[in-house]
Amino acid sequence: SWTAANVRPGSLGYLSGPSGDLTAAEAKLLKRCLGDSDGNLDNNVEVTDWDYGVVVENDGVSSHNMIGAFPHAIKVVPVESTPGYNIHMPGSYHLVWYDASATTGKEFRVANL
């Protein structure tokens, strides 16, 4: 369900792991995989050298991290539940950005659902 706790302006969902919210290890691997999204190494963070892919919008009352001009692009491929069943499922592309102010476990925001 869509509530203020799990939806941010400009987003449609969030990434999760196979067992629910991303674990710390899964999030670390994802950050390393995402890397730089805008070609500007000066705004990269952490030892994994990646950036958030966000723009900060302010409505005069509060600030919101929203999808920026250079979000991360990922391809999601279905996991086969039965051998040969998903053979013609090509997967889909999504735009991802990181919202450090989101509810824990819902920081990796996703568009193009």
Side-chain angles (χ1 to χ4, degrees), residues 2-81:
W2 299 98
T3 66
N6 65 11
V7 175
R8 290 281 200 240
S11 70
L12 296 176
Y14 58 91
L15 293 179
S16 62
S19 303
D21 291 345
L22 291 175
T23 65
E26 290 168 335
K28 184 177 179 179
L29 285 171
L30 180 58
K31 290 174 184 179
R32 181 133 179 105
C33 181
L34 290 175
D36 181 58
S37 68
D38 61 3
N40 180 359
L41 300 180
D42 292 335
N43 66 1
N44 289 2
V45 295
E46 302 177 13
V47 296
T48 49
D49 197 30
W50 74 296
D51 62 39
Y52 293 169
V54 301
V55 64
V56 178
E57 294 288 333
N58 189 310
D59 61 9
V61 178
S62 58
S63 295
H64 302 281
N65 292 327
M66 298 174 58
I67 188 169
F70 302 100
H72 298 278
I74 64 169
K75 182 176 182 180
V76 179
V77 201
V79 175
E80 285 221 44
S81 51

